């Protein structure tokens, strides 16, 4: 399922998809359904209600905000443990495109921007390699969110929000916002604490060490990065013919669009949706014309989704398949008995976090300084297409890369930091006001009225908040 926001960035996401991505998917033989979002939280509603057994991946063609909606929609489902394991892909269509830049960086390809970045991410999507993706649970006084990218307070958050008025100019909006905020530099008062790693790194990561770590990872983890095209747990039949994609003016719908005469792309581990209220569309080509037949099933609804660790329902359905459905299909090895190894149920717990407002354990480290220019927590390598904010970050390192800049930094030094961030060299600038820590959890308590907090670029309010990382909770299509 490709979810596309036509208003993202410069409003050209639909044109970019048609011009570049659509043909790539057709040539790769990857069936897809295009869902065009038309309002805020539309994607969140779609994935919260969709029958995810019909999809082998969810792909976002937009900026980072739409993926934020998708992840939080998945985590709001009753079957969130299974839902959040659906591989997530990203195609840059916004102005920031931080995750897309990070995915491109993880592939060890030379830096790319604009349409070159889109082509790179489209190619990686067609390859279909899947890596674990850390998610960060963010607790606020009245709600809880899940983040994949960043948490910002102070200068960075204000630049992100202030530059919204320049969205039509694309990524240049962040440069304009930075210059304007430098002209009226603020100091933000608050308390910051974090849970550090047991062992600190020998030295801060530099662009050279970051590249060395990246080169080592494919060899070390080659067996842990299957393709969603070949993994029996989500067996997308990449050799099948592509589905007919809806026109841009079509009404958005999360319903499946299977390839002609082949419904195997909708199966997972031998499962074919049955006994469900479903709409099945079949298309074939006759004299260059497309003929569509729609059939509505009226069978009673199926049982609730099975637990992700319970293979009983899957095995029963697999055994009921006809002979032609079982041909050329590889089944996953049987797992442990559900009775002997019951899967945990209920909401995801944050064992590292005490209740918000309660005192922190002694194992946490409190920052003595209370006057900041910025606090930035990164979970991926890039903050935007042009800002390599966390040189040592990879999608499944189980870390929060925490940066903060104390009050007293000059405008010139701050500008020098952001210019060096384009090369990932800001930790080598020798600015004493910049501090970098690798942590598992953090708590931020703003004490002054000015300053806002953003999570993945989305405004979440003035705080306080606390967060902890959950290693490998999701999965990312990442070359």
């Amino acid at each position: 399922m490709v979810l596309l926001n036509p208003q993202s960035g410069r409003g050209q996401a639909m044109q970019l998809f048609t011009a570049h991505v659509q043909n790539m998917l057709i040539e790769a033989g990857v069936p897809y359904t295009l869902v065009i979002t038309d309002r805020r939280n539309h994607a969140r509603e779609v994935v919260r209600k969709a029958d995810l057994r019909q999809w082998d991946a969810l792909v976002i063609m937009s900026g980072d905000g739409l993926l934020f909606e998708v992840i939080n929609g998945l985590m709001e489902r009753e079957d969130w443990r299974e839902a959040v394991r659906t591989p997530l892909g990203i195609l840059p269509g916004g102005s920031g495109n931080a995750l897309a830049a990070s995915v491109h960086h993880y592939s060890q390809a030379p830096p790319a921007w604009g349409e070159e970045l889109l082509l790179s991410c489209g190619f990686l999507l067609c390859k279909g390699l899947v890596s674990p993706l850390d998610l960060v649970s963010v607790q606020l006084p009245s709600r809880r969110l899940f983040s994949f990218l960043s948490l910002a307070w102070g200068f960075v958050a204000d630049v992100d929000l202030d530059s919204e008025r320049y969205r039509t100019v694309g990524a240049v909006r962040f440069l304009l916002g930075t210059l304007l905020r430098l002209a009226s530099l603020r100091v933000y008062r608050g308390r910051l604490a974090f849970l550090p790693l047991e062992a600190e790194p020998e030295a801060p990561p530099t662009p050279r060490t970051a590249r060395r770590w990246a080169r080592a990872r494919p060899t070390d983890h080659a067996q842990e990065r299957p393709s969603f095209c070949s993994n029996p747990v989500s067996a997308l039949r990449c050799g099948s013919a592509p589905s007919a994609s809806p026109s841009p003016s079509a009404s958005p719908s999360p319903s499946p669009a299977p390839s002609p005469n082949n419904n195997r792309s909708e199966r997972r581990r031998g499962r074919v949706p049955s006994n469900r209220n479903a709409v099945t569309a079949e298309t074939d080509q006759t004299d260059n014309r497309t003929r569509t037949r729609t059939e509505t099933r009226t069978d009673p609804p199926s049982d609730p989704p099975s637990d992700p660790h319970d293979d009983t329902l899957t095995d029963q359905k697999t055994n009921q398949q006809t002979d032609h459905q079982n041909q050329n299909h590889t089944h996953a090895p049987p797992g442990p008995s559900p009775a002997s190894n019951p899967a945990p149920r209920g909401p995801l717990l944050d064992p590292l976090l005490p209740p918000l407002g309660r005192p922190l354990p002694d194992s946490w480290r409190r920052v003595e300084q209370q006057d900041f220019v910025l606090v930035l927590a990164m979970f991926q390598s890039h903050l935007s297409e042009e800002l390599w904010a966390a040189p040592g970050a990879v999608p499944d390192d189980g870390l929060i890369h925490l940066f903060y800049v104390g009050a007293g930094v000059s405008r010139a030094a701050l500008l020098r930091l952001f210019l060096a961030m384009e090369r990932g060299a800001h930790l080598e600038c020798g600015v004493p006001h910049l501090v970098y820590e690798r942590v598992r959890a953090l708590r931020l308590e703003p004490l002054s009225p000015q300053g806002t907090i953003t999570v993945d670029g989305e405004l979440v309010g003035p705080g306080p908040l606390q967060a902890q990382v959950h290693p490998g909770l999701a999965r990312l299509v990442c070359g």
Side-chain angles (χ1 to χ4, degrees), residues 162-474:
D162 292 346
S163 64
E164 284 286 339
R165 69 189 76 174
Y166 312 116
R167 178 174 288 274
T168 55
V169 301
V172 181
R173 60 175 269 213
F174 298 108
L175 175 60
L176 295 175
T178 298
L179 295 176
L180 290 174
R181 183 51 57 200
L182 280 172
S184 56
L185 194 59
R186 297 176 180 173
V187 173
Y188 309 84
R189 188 169 182 81
R191 288 192 290 263
L192 176 65
F194 56 85
L195 179 63
L197 291 179
E198 295 77 11
E200 296 296 331
E202 295 181 0
T206 65
R208 178 175 298 178
T209 59
R211 294 188 187 100
R212 186 169 66 247
W213 295 349
R215 285 196 299 269
R217 291 184 59 78
T219 301
D220 297 341
H221 297 266
Q223 301 303 319
E224 301 176 11
R225 301 182 59 222
S227 166
F228 68 76
C229 297
S230 59
N231 189 342
V233 177
S234 55
L236 175 65
R237 302 302 185 184
C238 289
S240 61
S243 66
S245 60
S247 64
S249 60
S251 175
S253 172
S255 59
S259 57
N261 303 320
N262 187 354
N263 67 350
R264 290 180 297 177
S265 64
E266 298 178 6
R267 286 202 296 268
R268 286 173 178 267
R269 305 181 67 179
R271 295 181 292 183
V272 176
S274 60
N275 297 327
R276 301 187 63 85
N277 296 326
V279 178
T280 302
E282 297 180 1
T283 63
D284 58 8
Q285 291 293 126
T286 304
D287 298 332
N288 296 324
R289 295 189 300 272
T290 301
R291 184 169 67 240
T292 304
R293 181 169 62 84
T294 303
E295 175 186 351
T296 304
R297 299 182 181 180
T298 57
D299 298 334
S302 65
D303 296 332
S306 61
D307 192 277
H309 299 281
D310 189 346
D311 289 335
T312 304
L313 182 59
T314 300
D315 295 338
Q316 291 175 349
K317 291 186 177 181
T318 300
N319 293 332
Q320 294 171 358
Q321 304 306 314
T322 59
D323 292 339
H324 76 276
Q325 290 172 339
N326 283 326
Q327 291 176 355
N328 300 324
H329 187 81
T330 303
H331 297 286
S337 169
S340 61
N341 186 20
R345 299 180 182 274
L348 179 67
L349 302 179
D350 296 325
L352 300 180
L353 301 177
L356 192 61
R358 297 277 186 90
L360 293 170
D362 294 337
S363 56
W364 285 58
R365 187 184 304 171
R366 295 156 181 82
V367 178
E368 295 183 3
Q369 183 164 353
Q370 294 190 353
D371 292 324
F372 301 90
V373 171
L374 66 87
V375 173
L376 175 64
M378 291 294 303
F379 323 131
Q380 305 297 329
S381 64
H382 281 66
L383 186 59
S384 70
E385 285 187 28
E386 299 181 348
L387 295 179
W388 188 5
V394 290
D396 60 339
D397 56 16
L399 299 174
I400 296 175
H401 299 264
L402 177 63
F403 303 84
Y404 59 89
V405 175
V409 65
S410 67
R411 290 177 173 84
L414 194 59
L415 179 59
R416 190 165 71 250
L417 285 176
F418 278 90
L419 292 176
M421 195 178 291
E422 295 181 4
R423 312 184 309 274
H426 46 293
L427 293 173
E428 304 172 26
C429 284
V431 177
H433 298 84
L434 172 64
V435 180
Y436 166 65
E437 301 282 355
R438 301 197 305 169
V439 308
R440 300 289 190 191
L442 63 86
R443 175 181 286 184
L444 175 63
E445 301 173 272
L447 301 177
S448 56
Q450 67 266 29
T452 55
I453 299 176
T454 59
V455 174
D456 296 352
E458 302 296 316
L459 177 65
V460 299
L465 60 76
Q466 57 186 10
Q468 86 157 68
V469 63
H470 289 274
L473 185 62

